[in-house]
Structure formats: C-alpha cells, structure tokens
Amino acid sequence: MNKPIFWLVICLLPITVLSQSSLEKKLESILSDLTTEDKFGYSILPKESEIAEFEQSGTQLTVKLDIPIYFLDHELDAEMAEEVIEHFAVPMSEFGFYTVFVKAQNEFGLYFHLSDFLNEEVTAYETVRPNLDPSPSQQGRKGVDLYSDVQPIGQLNGATVWLSAGHGWLYDKRWRTYKTQRGNTFGVVEDFSNIEMINYHLLKYLYNAGANVWTVRERDMNENEVIVDNDHKNGTYQEIGAWETS
C-alpha cells in the first residue's frame, strides 16, 4: 500500500523544485525589465534594485524589493508604483498567483507596500467668493457658434471655466509605447467619447452663456499641425521689438 505513495512523492519533488526555479527566474526577468533603460535613458526602477525574497501563501505572492532609499523618498510616484505592481502581477497568473503584493525596504530594514512610500501633497484651497454681479441684459442676444467673432452676453460673463475631459493618450512605461488610458469597452473608448462630449456640447454651452472657456486637452480636431521653433537657426520665424525668454 505504501509503495505507490512513495513513488508518487518522489515523482512530484522535481516538479516542485522546477516550478520554484521557474518562478525565481521569472521574477528576476521582470525586475531586469523594470531596471533596463529605454532609448531615452529612462527606467522605471533604479538599476541597483534587487529582489530580496518572495513569499508564497496559497494563491498569494509577496515580492520584497531592495530599492535605493533616495528613490523611494524623492522620486517614486503613484504612476511608477502602479507600473511596478502591474509588471509583477500580470505574469504571475501562469504560476497560480492571483493576489500579488510588492513591498520595499525602508531605512530601518522594514518592508512596506510601495504605496506607503508615496508622498501626499497637501493642496490649499481658497474660499470661492460669491458672484454678486447683476445679470447682464439678454435683450437682442442669442446663442452663437463657438467660433463666432462675437461671444454672447450671458449669466457666466466674467467667469473663467477650465474643462478637463480626463484620460487620453499617455506613455506606457511598461510596453514603451503610447496608449489610451481606457480600452475598448462595448465598442466605446472613454478617452475619445469624453473629449467629444466636452468639445461639441459642454464647451459651447458655457461659451454661449458668456464664460471664458479653456480646455486642458487640445480642443482643435484638426489633424494638421505646424510647430514653430523660435530658436531654430534655419527657420523663418522672426521677432521684432523687445522680447524676453520666459
């Protein structure tokens, strides 16, 4: 009765060792990718970063990194932390891990989650003064298109409104290319639909109400663009009068 069990255990041992070895190699490969500089000389983590150890508990994996303290205290931001975590987490499903924690060592030798090293900026908000200006006369005024020469007088005259459609194109440090922040969901890419609603509708409503409207993202839908560099030696750009570099 014991013999089949004995041989079963013997056969499983090499598989366990092989899996552990493959996991360790994969983690080292991931770290190497994080510390390798791209063509612009940028890497997500400093090249001195190392894997101290990793711990397994069922389907949970904890990776402990030794990262230079200066980087953790002064350079690590939320985007970098997210990239590092995703870099380790995504490939780990093939090893049966569905919860992955990434920790780093502080100056006292204690390991904490990467998010614990992020510095939260405190923003001071000014009290908004009430708008007690009288409403402008609407007599003889009507809504016009955004690109009209004459802006309407409305309830928002004198007000400045900034609009941010959110999302958009960003540089993916993991794949080293540009991508949208949101993927295609049911045929809709949020990065595109948001900016269309802002540009085609909300922006015009506010403009027609008399507001001075600015957009965080480019509102011109024209794909043709010319960038003029005033410092280019062979360019045709010229400055007349007294100008200062600012």
Side-chain angles (χ1 to χ4, degrees):
M1 292 295 295
N2 293 336
K3 188 172 182 180
I5 298 177
F6 175 79
W7 282 106
L8 178 63
V9 173
I10 292 298
C11 290
L12 285 177
L13 281 176
I15 297 177
T16 304
V17 173
L18 178 61
S19 177
Q20 187 81 0
S21 175
S22 300
L23 174 60
E24 186 173 354
K25 289 181 179 179
K26 184 63 176 180
L27 293 175
E28 291 290 349
S29 174
I30 293 172
L31 181 64
S32 176
D33 192 32
L34 288 168
T35 55
T36 299
E37 294 183 350
D38 61 14
K39 62 181 180 180
F40 303 107
Y42 173 85
S43 63
I44 300 176
L45 289 179
K47 62 181 180 180
E48 298 85 0
S49 304
E50 298 179 348
I51 296 178
E53 59 179 326
F54 56 91
E55 301 173 351
Q56 308 173 54
S57 178
T59 59
Q60 177 179 304
L61 176 68
T62 300
V63 181
K64 296 182 178 181
L65 302 176
D66 284 344
I67 303 174
I69 297 298
Y70 181 85
F71 177 85
L72 293 173
D73 290 341
H74 302 283
E75 298 183 20
L76 180 69
D77 59 26
E79 184 181 355
M80 292 177 182
E82 183 177 350
E83 287 292 337
V84 173
I85 294 171
E86 288 190 15
H87 224 89
F88 279 103
V90 173
M92 287 300 102
S93 60
E94 65 182 83
F95 292 91
F97 298 110
Y98 300 101
T99 303
V100 178
F101 297 111
V102 180
K103 296 184 177 182
Q105 185 176 200
N106 66 5
E107 64 268 29
F108 303 109
L110 302 176
Y111 286 93
F112 292 92
H113 295 284
L114 288 184
S115 57
D116 293 329
F117 292 92
L118 299 178
N119 296 318
E120 297 184 3
E121 296 183 1
V122 179
T123 303
Y125 295 96
E126 297 182 359
T127 303
V128 179
R129 295 179 298 171
N131 185 2
L132 303 178
D133 296 336
S135 299
S137 173
Q138 300 298 309
Q139 185 177 3
R141 295 288 180 174
K142 62 180 181 178
V144 296
D145 185 74
L146 176 65
Y147 302 105
S148 169
D149 292 333
V150 180
Q151 183 176 7
I153 295 176
Q155 296 291 332
L156 297 181
N157 275 128
T160 298
V161 180
W162 283 89
L163 297 177
S164 174
H167 308 318
W169 293 96
L170 55 76
Y171 185 67
D172 190 320
K173 298 174 183 176
R174 188 181 338 130
W175 301 112
R176 293 176 171 82
T177 186
Y178 283 91
K179 68 173 185 179
T180 55
Q181 285 185 270
R182 298 293 182 268
N184 190 319
T185 304
F186 301 110
V188 175
V189 178
E190 189 178 340
D191 310 68
F192 302 148
S193 59
N194 282 7
I195 190 65
E196 290 176 353
M197 287 186 285
I198 291 290
N199 284 351
Y200 295 151
H201 301 286
L202 181 58
L203 192 153
K204 293 184 179 182
Y205 295 154
L206 295 171
Y207 180 86
N208 286 338
N212 182 20
V213 188
W214 298 88
T215 55
V216 176
R217 288 173 60 183
E218 175 59 60
R219 75 184 187 188
D220 189 358
M221 306 302 286
N222 185 358
E223 295 181 354
N224 300 316
E225 180 181 57
V226 176
I227 298 177
V228 179
D229 183 1
N230 62 302
D231 293 323
H232 197 282
K233 296 181 180 180
N234 300 323
T236 57
Y237 174 89
Q238 293 181 346
E239 295 174 354
I240 300 176
W243 288 77
E244 294 182 359
T245 301
S246 63

